[in-house]
Amino acid sequence: MRTIREMMDLKGRSALVVGGAGHIGQAVCETILELGGQVVIADQDIEKGKNICADLNKRDYQRKCFFEACDISDEFKTRAIVHAAHKIMGGLDIMVHTAAFVGTTQYPGWAEDLDKQTVEAWDAALRVNLTSAFILIQEARAFLMQSLSPSVILVSSIYGVVAPDMGLYKDTDMKHPLAYGASKAGLIHLAKYFSTVLAPKIRVNCITPGGVWRNQDERFHERYKAKTPLGRMATEEDLKGAVAFLVGESSNYVTGHNLVVDGGWTSW
């Protein structure tokens, strides 16, 4: 029987992290690098992505972080990033989808009251949040099949599991677009679907974070904490353990699972 340290070791493993320049994406990249793997960060924010990659390569990771620009609203570019990552690293064992339209995303008709949310914004969000995940997995399938222990992780949200409590947002400028929750719920089903059709070779799972502290309005912050059994919002660091579990072989018998990391929010 192997040790847990051996099962979590990612030495020789290659990962593509889509949306890797985002807050959660950075935590995912750090985790994989800390466990010995190599990472291609794919993101449309070129300057930020390059800076993050350069910073990670200054650490004791043996310069195993690479950056590639990618706009996942474009099908061709989404498919192309899979091949670029495979070529850069010489293989593909892990793929993580963290990119998303979120509540603060600046897009016309998105972060508005319900009657002002537009179909154009809905379509754009589903393209980034959900459709791109389908494209990535479909395109990466052949490469992942060549891996000894392939793993795919999709990052959902508690609002893909339960409806938002609109009382949290009262008297704030914060908005909650309907398409956000709908797309995140779709990711959970996508993981379940692919976990069956790609079995037994490729494992596909979800991580569902609760609300992450990002200097939100203090009224929202206090209400959120009051509804959370652990009494606080999440940090990016809170997600690293979930990532470490699902990317490595310590979760070899786990697929189609939605790992909720929400401080107990959905327990009520």
Side-chain angles (χ1 to χ4, degrees):
M1 185 181 295
R2 291 177 295 169
T3 67
I4 192 67
R5 188 183 300 276
E6 290 171 330
M7 295 172 74
M8 297 184 74
D9 186 1
L10 297 183
K11 185 177 181 180
R13 305 285 180 85
S14 301
L16 168 61
V17 180
V18 179
H23 295 282
I24 292 176
Q26 292 178 57
V28 172
C29 292
E30 283 189 16
T31 302
I32 293 168
L33 290 164
E34 287 165 7
L35 293 173
Q38 60 178 338
V39 174
V40 167
I41 295 175
D43 205 286
Q44 66 175 356
D45 191 331
I46 298 174
E47 182 178 1
K48 186 178 180 182
K50 286 183 175 179
N51 288 338
I52 290 168
C53 192
D55 178 65
L56 290 172
N57 278 329
K58 291 176 183 176
R59 308 183 196 181
D60 190 23
Y61 300 141
Q62 299 179 349
R63 300 188 63 80
K64 291 184 177 179
C65 184
F66 312 91
F67 175 77
E68 285 289 306
C70 182
D71 177 6
I72 58 172
S73 66
D74 182 291
E75 179 182 354
F76 174 79
K77 292 176 181 177
T78 304
R79 294 189 185 278
I81 193 62
V82 174
H83 294 267
H86 183 270
K87 183 177 181 180
I88 289 168
M89 297 183 291
L92 186 62
D93 307 284
I94 299 161
M95 188 166 66
V96 185
H97 181 284
T98 70
F101 269 48
V102 294
T104 56
T105 297
Q106 299 299 308
Y107 192 95
W110 172 247
E112 303 282 357
D113 292 331
L114 181 60
D115 59 349
K116 295 181 180 179
Q117 293 174 32
T118 65
V119 171
E120 289 79 12
W122 171 284
D123 287 345
L126 261 66
R127 185 76 182 196
V128 169
N129 293 17
L130 181 60
T131 306
S132 64
F134 159 70
I135 295 169
L136 287 163
I137 297 173
Q138 186 185 59
E139 195 67 23
R141 178 182 180 180
F143 293 141
L144 292 169
M145 284 290 186
Q146 298 169 18
S147 171
L148 294 177
S149 184
S151 175
V152 175
I153 299 174
L154 307 178
V155 178
S156 183
S157 164
I158 51 171
Y159 287 161
V161 178
V162 296
D165 179 353
M166 292 303 183
L168 298 176
Y169 303 89
K170 185 179 179 182
D171 301 323
T172 75
D173 293 328
M174 301 172 68
K175 305 293 182 183
H176 196 280
L178 175 58
Y180 178 80
S183 61
K184 292 297 188 177
L187 285 174
I188 296 172
H189 181 77
L190 201 70
K192 292 181 181 296
Y193 177 90
F194 276 118
S195 73
T196 61
V197 299
L198 301 184
K201 181 64 175 179
I202 302 171
R203 295 184 302 108
V204 186
N205 293 288
C206 257
I207 294 176
T208 288
V212 180
W213 170 241
R214 304 263 171 79
N215 297 307
Q216 290 95 337
D217 187 297
E218 191 57 29
R219 289 165 291 189
F220 169 87
H221 186 210
E222 291 300 321
R223 293 166 187 160
Y224 191 97
K225 290 191 297 182
K227 287 197 64 173
T228 307
L230 291 187
R232 65 176 176 86
M233 296 189 76
T235 67
E236 284 76 13
E237 183 179 284
D238 290 320
L239 301 172
K240 293 179 75 172
V243 173
F245 173 60
L246 290 176
V247 296
E249 294 185 10
S250 55
S251 57
N252 263 352
Y253 201 56
V254 179
T255 195
H257 181 63
N258 181 31
L259 179 52
V260 180
V261 186
D262 69 349
W265 171 272
T266 54
S267 297
W268 297 111

